[in-house]
Amino acid sequence: MKRIFILFIALFSFSFVQAQIPWKNGKKAAVVLTYDDGLTSQLQYAIPELDSVGFRGTFYLFGAGLKAEETEAWRRAAAEGHELGNHTIYHPCGRSDADSTDCHALDCYTVKDILNEIAQMNKWLVAIDGRSEHSFAFPCCLTKAGGEDYSKPIVEKGLAKYSRGGGERIITSVDSLDFANVPTIAAMNDHANADWIIAQIERTVKAHGAIVIIFHGVGGDYLTFSAADHRKLLSYLKAHENEIWTAPFSQVMTYLSGLRQH
C-alpha cells in the first residue's frame, strides 16, 4: 500500500510539471507589454524606453484616433520590430444614450458591422506596416456587439488569429487558453504601479506562465501609467531577462499555439 501511495505522489508530481508551459532557453515565463489607442505619449516615452532596453511592445491602434502627422512614426516603430495591432476604426465601447444614426457604441453594432470595421482597419494597418496579419484587441475588453459574441467570428473570418481580451488573470496553461479571447492584466487601476505589476510578473514566473499587460498613456494622455513606473518595470524585466521572455503579443501567442499542436 505504501508503494502504491508513493507511486501516486510521483505520478501526480510528474503531471503537475508537465502542465507547466515549457519555455525555451531556460526561461520561466513570458511577459507581453501592450499599449492601447495609439497615443502620442507612447511614441514619446514608451517606444524609446522599450528600445533602450532592447524590448518590443504591441501597440493597438484605432483608425479614428490616429493622427496623420504621427503615421510615419508608427511606420518606423513597426519597422524596428514593434507590433501594430487592430483596435477597430471607431473603438466601439459601452452603451449609447443617444438615438443617433452615427452611433459608435457596441449596442448599436451587429456582429456583421464590427467584423466589417475590423476588416477595414486591417487594410489601414497594412498600409502602415506592410504586414499581412494583425492581432486584435477588443475595445474596452468587451466581446459582444448588439448582445452577440463576436470573438469566434473574428477567427472564423480570418481577421485575426489572436485576440486580446480581458479577464484579469495570468496564463498558466496552454490547453485552456482561448486564443480568440486571451486574458490580460490592466495597468490602469489605482494600485497598478510598477511594484504591483512586478508582483504579478513574479507570480507568473512561479507558475511558469505568461502575462499580457494593458497600458494606455505612459507619462501623459489618459489612463496614465507614470513614466517613472514604466522605466522601473522595464529595468526589472531587463535585470531578469535570463528567466523572463519579453516579446510582442503575436510572437508569444504563436509559440503557445505551436505547443498545443504538438
Side-chain angles (χ1 to χ4, degrees):
M1 184 68 182
K2 184 176 180 181
R3 289 182 178 179
I4 294 174
F5 178 75
I6 292 173
L7 178 61
F8 173 79
I9 293 297
L11 289 173
F12 177 81
S13 300
F14 177 75
S15 65
F16 178 78
V17 172
Q18 288 295 93
Q20 294 181 334
I21 299 173
W23 301 107
K24 289 183 178 180
N25 303 319
K27 307 291 186 182
K28 296 180 180 179
V31 171
V32 177
L33 306 175
T34 70
Y35 304 79
D36 283 13
D37 300 349
L39 302 177
T40 298
S41 65
Q42 296 165 6
L43 293 169
Q44 290 178 333
Y45 301 109
I47 289 177
E49 289 174 3
L50 286 163
D51 290 344
S52 71
V53 291
F55 294 149
R56 297 295 177 262
T58 298
F59 295 83
Y60 287 106
L61 313 183
F62 74 99
L66 279 176
K67 298 177 181 177
E69 65 272 19
E70 293 179 347
T71 301
E72 192 57 38
W74 288 114
R75 184 172 286 118
R76 286 195 301 270
E80 292 167 358
H82 296 284
E83 178 183 7
L84 303 186
N86 190 325
H87 208 34
T88 73
I89 293 177
Y90 293 109
H91 200 288
C93 180
R95 300 182 61 83
S96 172
D97 295 326
D99 183 14
S100 170
T101 57
D102 190 31
C103 173
H104 298 302
L106 278 172
D107 59 333
C108 298
Y109 278 65
T110 65
V111 169
K112 182 179 179 181
D113 291 334
I114 193 69
L115 295 181
N116 285 339
E117 189 169 312
I118 294 168
Q120 291 303 312
M121 188 61 198
N122 274 341
K123 293 178 181 179
W124 202 331
L125 288 169
V126 172
I128 296 174
D129 64 13
R131 298 177 186 176
S132 60
E133 293 184 346
H134 298 89
S135 63
F136 177 74
F138 296 96
C140 300
C141 299
L142 301 175
T143 61
K144 291 185 178 181
E148 185 177 351
D149 193 284
Y150 69 94
S151 61
K152 296 298 186 291
I154 292 174
V155 178
E156 293 164 358
K157 295 293 184 180
L159 298 175
K161 289 182 180 178
Y162 315 116
S163 297
R164 195 209 66 191
E168 288 289 326
R169 64 183 176 85
I170 64 175
I171 299 164
T172 57
S173 170
V174 175
D175 294 336
S176 61
L177 180 58
D178 182 1
F179 290 103
N181 188 3
V182 177
T184 58
I185 296 292
M188 47 191 172
N189 302 312
D190 291 339
H191 59 270
N193 55 22
D195 291 335
W196 182 82
I197 293 177
I198 288 169
Q200 308 314 306
I201 292 172
E202 290 176 343
R203 183 164 64 95
T204 305
V205 171
K206 289 179 180 178
H208 280 245
I211 184 171
V212 180
I213 305 169
I214 305 176
F215 298 94
H216 284 75
V218 176
D221 295 312
Y222 51 83
L223 296 175
T224 306
F225 193 76
S226 79
D229 276 321
H230 190 258
R231 285 191 295 272
K232 183 175 181 178
L233 173 61
L234 294 184
S235 295
Y236 169 85
L237 291 171
K238 186 66 177 178
H240 294 81
E241 63 181 345
N242 63 318
E243 61 178 0
I244 299 173
W245 178 33
T246 303
F249 183 75
S250 289
Q251 191 173 343
V252 173
M253 292 305 114
T254 296
Y255 177 77
L256 294 176
S257 178
L259 291 178
R260 181 177 289 181
Q261 294 170 13
H262 291 87

